[in-house]
Amino acid sequence: MKPERTPMSRRPKPPPKPKTAERIIERDPVEVYCRIRPPENLNQEECVTAVDSRTVKLTPPLSSFAFRNGHAKEHQYKFRHVFNSDSSQKDVFDYVAKPLVSDVLRGKNGLLFAYGVTGSGKTHTMQGSPQDGGIVPRTLDVVFNSINEYQTKRRIFKPDGMNGFDAQCESDAFNERRRIDATPLNPRTPKTPRYRRDTSGSQDSSQRIPDTSRIECIDEDNVFSIFVAYIEIYNNYIYDLLEDLSDAGPSGRLQTKILREDAQHNMYVHGCTEVEVKNPDDALEVLYKGQRRRKIAYTRLNCESSRSHSIFTIRVVQAPLDAQGEEVVTDKSSIMVSQLSLVDLAGSERNNRTKAVGDRIKEAGNINNSLMTLRTCIEVLRENQMMGSSKKVPYRDSKVTHYFKNYFDGEGKVKMVVCVNPKADDYDETLPVMKFAELASEVQVQRSVQPARQDPGLLPGRRRANQLFKEVRRRLEEEGENVKNLEVDLTPIYTLAPAWPAVSYTAETRDDVIMKLKAYLQKRIHNREKLQTELKGKILTMHTNVVEMEKENLIMKKEIMSLRSLYDDAMTKVRTLESMLLNAESVNESLQRKFTDYNNLVDECNAVREERDLAKSHGHLEKQRMKARLKSKLEIEKEKLKNDMQTKLCEQKSKMYHSQVRALQEIFLDDNQTPKNIRVPSTSDSDLHQSRQGPHSSIKGSTSDPKLNISQAFLTPDLRGPAVSNQRHRRSRSQGADMWLDHRPGQGDILPTAGGGSQVVLQDVEILKQRDPLAVPVSKRSSDGTPKVDATTVQERCAGGIMGYGTPSHYVPSKRTKL
Ligand code: ADP
Ligand code: MG
């Protein structure tokens, strides 16, 4: 089906060329975008489809009023861009609103409408949800992201109540802030809200996902402040949604506001609250507060919010920093104010569809009236532009059009997002929306120009220069430098004159304009001459300075030369020292090596010595053992030899005894007299036998005869006959002494020897006691060191005595010892 061309899409004749003065004015069309919302359900019959990124097709459904009236043709409408149901909030913002944010930060105004039937997505597009914000929250995010470091403190700028702003210096602003903070409740001054969670349920800021993008190329030498206002136009009445409730009167209803024109012929809502906000959350809190007010008002009035137009306005106030880049210039003419109005229009449906009754009919009528007025204004504008006519645009017929009149007169860019619900039921309402959209897109509005501001003639980049200077100052202070007199002049070297004045003129104003231009040029020429004189002076000073510097330069060069030679000397020394160091290092290395070798040698020697010690101790042990063996062998041999000797001695003695006996017998025999008192012992004789057992045993020391020679006594025959017959108790007379020596025999065994003799083995010893009568008695334990006589010594002595050796007189056997 071939789409029917709408009458509006027909291009009329081009408008006649404007007059000379107007020819230089550039114009831009109203930018109209279309956004198609997603279907409400899958089975939904649709009447709107996006043909391409710029075209939308409308197909009348069978149920539509138009179809039933024979208008069954499709319609296609062109837009600047079409956002289909897949488009995201970010897409819409970036494409539609972001350029407006850029404009407003550069001092240009902007207006953005959301237009469409109820439920088509106007509020969704403007506000969105916390997780996926619409145009309003994203605009706020980007504005604050862009000007963050250039924001002023609160109260530097203040609304003057006539759509303008005043600026005050930092100290005044500080005092005012303090005064306001000290006042707990000021009904006339709305306090800038602090961030707090919205508890009434309109939106929850805590879950918000902010837009992180920003606009570059902001004038860094300006300071910025953001103000927001939120108004509503309902039944052709204007309400301030941020108004303090104490102004609402006893009914609790908000007061209606009136529109006024300021000195620059801009329309504004008189007495409207403008709140200074410092971050997006502050601003959104203000928005939510307005929405809560709106909700309460509608509950009281029993009506819907979709029947009113809500306008959220962001105003950017900026002013340049002073020459030092420190404080704001408070001159009012330096302040630049721009605004971006974001408008959520009421639903554009007709009365019969909404079935309004009573008050609602009036209400709907007003809505439609204001939208109709908007449409009429657009039509007249278009006609004037295209036909070259000069019909009066009926802006004043409704508050909405009256309020935005300036935009259509060229005070800013106008954009419109037409929201469309594609469902078939909405076709009859969507059709006029599309027609209006097409109409609006053909209207051209004067391109907004950067407001002419007097050139303050200040050095660009002074903010950064000031920051750098402060940083340098701080660092120098940290290093202990005196920075009191350290100043940097950031004022410009020269400025010729303020910016050129506007050059538009008509035949009537021509002379005036020429006179103005002449004065302007004369001023410039005067300035130029003055500057040239200054320049000459400065060149002269500069020349002198250069000559001075040249002299200093020469001195410095000489100093550098001498320093260089010093440096060269020092370098030579360094090199020598370096080579010495290298040598020392190599010597050190070789010594180190030697030391290591020596250590290794010492270790080896130690190991060898340890081995040797081990072997030595082993040999010593062997030697010890051998010695012990030999000793024991020697002992045995000695014992054996001793026994042999004793045996031989006994034999010898026995032989001698027998020979003596025989000799005595012979003597007696010679005298023929048989000896009576001499008893010749025989080997069987028990006495003899007893004597053989050992002379020691038979000797008992006499106390009466210390000089007794035992052997002599024993061996001397008693010529006077035997003294005693008792064998156990014998006496003998010492030689040369007149006393008897008692003999008490010891106990022992007589054993036959190998040589045929006998040996005496003592079992018991009799101890002889012999005392020197002249000698001092010796105590057993002598304290004067006289050696104590032990039994072994006595025994040996006794044995010696028996064997015929003399007993030393000093021996004092003390007791009988059992062997
Ligand atoms: P209007 O303000 O035009 O009356 P709303 O913005 O209130 O319409 O939208 C009505 C409903 O449709 C809301 O629940 C909204 O979430 C939903 N809606 C509208 N447009 C879209 C969209 N583009 N994507 C998702 N949901 C949407
Ligand atoms: Mg809405």
Side-chain angles (χ1 to χ4, degrees):
M1 187 163 59
K2 204 179 170 192
E4 181 189 83
R5 279 182 66 112
T6 58
M8 291 305 167
S9 61
R10 256 182 263 131
R11 285 218 164 260
K13 286 179 202 163
K17 286 193 173 177
K19 293 172 190 170
T20 326
E22 286 175 348
R23 212 180 289 159
I24 53 169
I25 296 169
E26 288 182 276
R27 290 174 182 276
D28 285 322
V30 172
E31 290 179 16
V32 184
Y33 300 85
C34 178
R35 186 179 195 188
I36 305 168
R37 61 158 286 182
E40 287 168 33
N41 57 65
L42 288 173
N43 306 320
Q44 181 180 288
E45 189 190 351
E46 293 189 359
C47 63
V48 182
T49 42
V51 176
D52 57 40
S53 64
R54 296 198 61 187
T55 318
V56 166
K57 184 175 76 183
L58 238 74
T59 314
L62 299 176
S63 58
S64 69
F65 181 75
F67 189 84
R68 279 185 267 131
N69 284 346
H71 301 288
K73 287 181 183 170
E74 283 182 357
H75 300 269
Q76 284 200 352
Y77 298 94
K78 287 272 176 199
F79 292 91
R80 193 166 184 93
H81 190 85
V82 175
F83 298 99
N84 59 28
S85 53
D86 299 334
S87 301
S88 67
Q89 297 279 60
K90 173 109 180 118
D91 293 339
V92 177
F93 170 76
D94 285 349
Y95 209 99
V96 180
K98 212 167 175 180
L100 290 178
V101 178
S102 176
D103 281 354
V104 79
L105 290 174
R106 291 192 176 93
K108 296 181 191 174
N109 296 330
L111 171 64
L112 176 63
F113 289 114
Y115 182 74
V117 295
T118 301
S120 61
K122 298 184 294 295
T123 307
H124 177 82
T125 300
M126 295 312 279
Q127 288 175 17
S129 60
Q131 292 79 16
D132 194 12
I135 286 171
V136 175
R138 283 176 194 275
T139 298
L140 290 166
D141 284 333
V142 176
V143 164
F144 283 103
N145 291 344
S146 311
I147 62 153
N148 194 27
E149 61 250 66
Y150 314 127
Q151 275 201 78
T152 56
K153 291 195 174 140
R154 285 182 200 278
R155 301 269 155 198
I156 293 281
F157 295 115
K158 293 194 300 180
D160 62 2
M162 289 179 296
N163 206 30
F165 283 86
D166 290 322
Q168 58 184 346
C169 66
E170 175 56 46
S171 58
D172 289 350
F174 175 75
N175 288 335
E176 194 172 327
R177 283 198 299 271
R178 237 180 24 180
R179 189 168 45 76
I180 289 166
D181 288 346
T183 317
L185 265 173
N186 187 345
R188 305 298 306 175
T189 319
K191 223 177 160 185
T192 305
R194 300 241 162 77
Y195 170 76
R196 61 178 185 275
R197 191 167 287 198
D198 179 25
T199 50
S200 70
S202 56
Q203 295 274 12
D204 187 358
S205 316
S206 61
Q207 298 169 2
R208 206 169 76 78
I209 299 168
D211 195 309
T212 51
S213 55
R214 58 176 288 168
I215 305 293
E216 302 297 335
C217 306
I218 302 295
D219 189 347
E220 290 181 3
D221 292 318
N222 280 2
V223 288
F224 293 79
S225 217
I226 305 298
F227 289 79
V228 291
Y230 195 19
I231 61 162
E232 179 183 50
I233 301 175
Y234 176 67
N235 266 349
N236 216 25
Y237 290 111
I238 301 172
Y239 298 97
D240 176 7
L241 292 174
L242 304 179
E243 190 179 50
D244 204 284
L245 283 177
S246 56
D247 292 344
S251 65
R253 288 189 184 187
L254 296 171
Q255 300 287 303
T256 56
K257 302 284 175 191
I258 54 162
L259 289 174
R260 278 199 181 164
E261 207 174 66
D262 68 10
Q264 284 77 42
H265 307 291
N266 292 318
M267 299 308 299
Y268 72 96
V269 179
H270 181 66
C272 175
T273 309
E274 289 190 89
V275 182
E276 187 176 8
V277 285
K278 289 290 164 200
N279 55 58
D281 289 333
D282 270 3
L284 285 173
E285 189 53 43
V286 171
L287 178 78
Y288 300 152
K289 178 184 165 187
Q291 285 174 345
R292 287 196 292 274
R293 291 270 170 80
R294 208 176 168 196
K295 217 174 179 179
I296 294 163
Y298 286 129
T299 314
R300 281 185 190 153
L301 291 170
N302 191 26
C303 57
E304 293 170 40
S305 62
S306 65
R307 302 197 164 275
S308 68
H309 314 287
S310 71
I311 302 157
F312 188 74
T313 304
I314 300 164
R315 299 189 90 191
V316 179
V317 186
Q318 53 187 304
L321 282 170
D322 60 11
Q324 296 302 319
E326 184 69 41
E327 282 227 23
V328 66
V329 174
T330 52
D331 178 17
K332 196 163 180 157
S333 62
S334 326
I335 300 171
M336 185 161 71
V337 183
S338 49
Q339 69 179 50
L340 174 60
S341 295
L342 304 170
V343 187
D344 186 356
L345 287 172
S348 64
E349 54 274 2
R350 288 180 306 216
N351 295 356
N352 60 349
R353 182 168 177 255
T354 52
K355 298 181 181 60
V357 285
D359 264 2
R360 286 281 182 88
I361 291 176
K362 186 189 164 199
E363 185 186 282
N366 280 329
I367 294 161
N368 277 341
N369 280 348
S370 61
L371 291 177
M372 275 300 290
T373 312
L374 181 65
R375 186 185 168 118
T376 313
C377 291
I378 296 283
E379 273 176 0
V380 174
L381 270 171
R382 177 179 162 276
E383 196 180 323
N384 284 349
Q385 286 169 11
M386 295 202 166
M387 311 300 289
S389 59
S390 52
K391 271 191 188 173
K392 190 171 183 267
V393 185
Y395 292 121
R396 286 174 178 269
D397 288 1
S398 92
K399 291 283 190 296
V400 177
T401 50
H402 195 192
Y403 186 43
F404 294 122
K405 144 184 175 321
N406 303 104
Y407 287 97
F408 294 104
D409 281 348
E411 278 303 321
K413 203 163 189 76
V414 182
K415 292 193 178 191
M416 189 186 287
V417 180
V418 172
C419 297
V420 181
N421 190 339
K423 70 176 178 185
D425 292 354
D426 274 10
Y427 177 81
D428 292 324
E429 309 300 339
T430 305
L431 194 61
V433 169
M434 289 295 180
K435 285 179 178 172
F436 172 68
E438 192 171 48
L439 181 73
S441 65
E442 288 177 354
V443 171
Q444 298 224 324
V445 291
Q446 190 179 313
R447 181 177 292 174
S448 63
V449 288
Q450 189 88 28
R453 280 194 304 164
Q454 205 178 350
D455 179 11
L458 299 171
L459 191 72
R462 56 195 179 281
R463 179 197 286 271
R464 284 200 183 193
N466 185 35
Q467 282 170 355
L468 275 173
F469 173 62
K470 278 184 183 166
E471 178 62 20
V472 169
R473 220 184 140 102
R474 190 186 62 76
R475 286 194 191 177
L476 284 173
E477 230 169 0
E478 273 178 10
E479 287 165 16
E481 297 275 337
N482 182 13
V483 290
K484 267 186 185 167
N485 299 324
L486 189 67
E487 292 297 337
V488 170
D489 187 9
L490 294 173
T491 46
I493 299 159
Y494 73 89
T495 171
L496 211 53
W500 280 84
V503 288
S504 61
Y505 65 91
T506 56
E508 300 89 55
T509 59
R510 189 179 159 181
D511 289 342
D512 280 352
V513 170
I514 288 170
M515 285 302 286
K516 266 187 200 166
L517 276 176
K518 193 180 161 193
Y520 177 79
L521 285 170
Q522 274 172 348
K523 200 177 172 187
R524 278 182 83 97
I525 290 163
H526 174 72
N527 278 350
R528 181 187 288 264
E529 280 166 4
K530 208 171 107 189
L531 285 169
Q532 272 175 346
T533 322
E534 272 178 28
L535 186 66
K536 274 177 193 161
K538 281 184 177 168
I539 288 170
L540 216 66
T541 321
M542 181 81 167
H543 182 74
T544 323
N545 287 343
V546 168
V547 171
E548 279 295 313
M549 280 171 74
E550 197 59 42
K551 278 181 195 163
E552 275 179 24
N553 197 18
L554 269 172
I555 296 165
M556 296 285 269
K557 266 182 186 167
K558 276 180 192 163
E559 268 181 32
I560 287 171
M561 292 278 277
S562 69
L563 284 171
R564 189 168 284 281
S565 71
L566 282 174
Y567 171 79
D568 288 343
D569 289 351
M571 280 309 288
T572 322
K573 273 183 193 167
V574 165
R575 271 186 222 111
T576 321
L577 286 170
E578 270 177 358
S579 68
M580 279 167 76
L581 185 70
L582 274 174
N583 287 341
E585 273 175 358
S586 70
V587 169
N588 189 25
E589 265 176 30
S590 77
L591 282 172
Q592 201 75 32
R593 273 198 299 276
K594 275 184 190 168
F595 180 69
T596 318
D597 292 348
Y598 173 74
N599 272 346
N600 292 341
L601 201 67
V602 166
D603 287 347
E604 278 171 23
C605 285
N606 280 340
V608 169
R609 200 190 66 200
E610 274 170 19
E611 271 176 30
R612 209 178 281 168
D613 284 354
L614 210 67
K616 206 170 155 186
S617 68
H618 191 69
H620 184 71
L621 271 174
E622 274 297 309
K623 216 167 157 183
Q624 289 280 324
R625 259 184 248 131
M626 184 72 89
K627 212 171 169 180
R629 270 204 301 277
L630 287 172
K631 202 174 175 182
S632 68
K633 221 171 175 178
L634 194 70
E635 284 295 318
I636 294 163
E637 286 297 320
K638 210 172 160 184
E639 190 64 32
K640 214 171 153 185
L641 202 65
K642 193 180 166 188
N643 290 340
D644 289 350
M645 288 298 286
Q646 275 184 351
T647 314
K648 276 178 186 170
L649 190 66
C650 283
E651 281 171 5
Q652 198 66 33
K653 276 180 181 174
S654 161
K655 271 180 194 167
M656 277 174 73
Y657 178 74
H658 284 293
S659 64
Q660 279 177 352
V661 169
R662 263 190 307 273
L664 281 172
Q665 278 176 346
E666 277 170 15
I667 293 166
F668 282 114
L669 287 175
D670 283 346
D671 292 339
N672 293 321
Q673 194 180 345
T674 305
K676 293 168 186 168
N677 293 333
I678 296 173
R679 188 176 167 257
V680 179
S682 68
T683 50
S684 57
D685 190 299
S686 62
D687 275 357
L688 181 64
H689 189 79
Q690 186 70 31
S691 71
R692 277 184 186 175
Q693 283 180 356
H696 317 281
S697 57
S698 59
I699 296 171
K700 183 172 179 195
S702 166
T703 52
S704 58
D705 191 2
K707 292 177 184 170
L708 177 67
N709 186 326
I710 296 171
S711 60
Q712 207 176 353
F714 183 73
L715 295 172
T716 308
D718 189 359
L719 297 176
R720 287 171 293 182
V724 282
S725 58
N726 186 357
Q727 289 179 356
R728 286 266 181 220
H729 188 82
R730 291 183 195 155
R731 283 197 306 176
S732 64
R733 202 170 192 164
S734 301
Q735 203 172 26
D738 285 338
M739 60 182 294
W740 290 94
L741 185 67
D742 288 334
H743 296 268
R744 206 194 292 167
Q747 287 179 358
D749 297 322
I750 298 172
L751 302 171
T753 62
S758 304
Q759 67 171 337
V760 178
V761 177
L762 293 175
Q763 290 168 342
D764 195 4
V765 172
E766 277 186 9
I767 298 167
L768 295 178
K769 286 187 180 175
Q770 185 182 18
R771 284 217 177 89
D772 186 353
L774 300 173
V776 183
V778 179
S779 67
K780 190 176 175 184
R781 288 174 191 262
S782 171
S783 59
D784 61 3
T786 310
K788 183 189 159 195
V789 180
D790 59 41
T792 317
T793 315
V794 172
Q795 187 184 348
E796 282 168 3
R797 295 289 172 191
C798 290
I802 289 169
M803 294 291 279
Y805 303 115
T807 304
S809 60
H810 66 270
Y811 272 111
V812 185
S814 61
K815 66 174 183 181
R816 195 186 179 113
T817 306
K818 191 89 179 168
L819 291 175

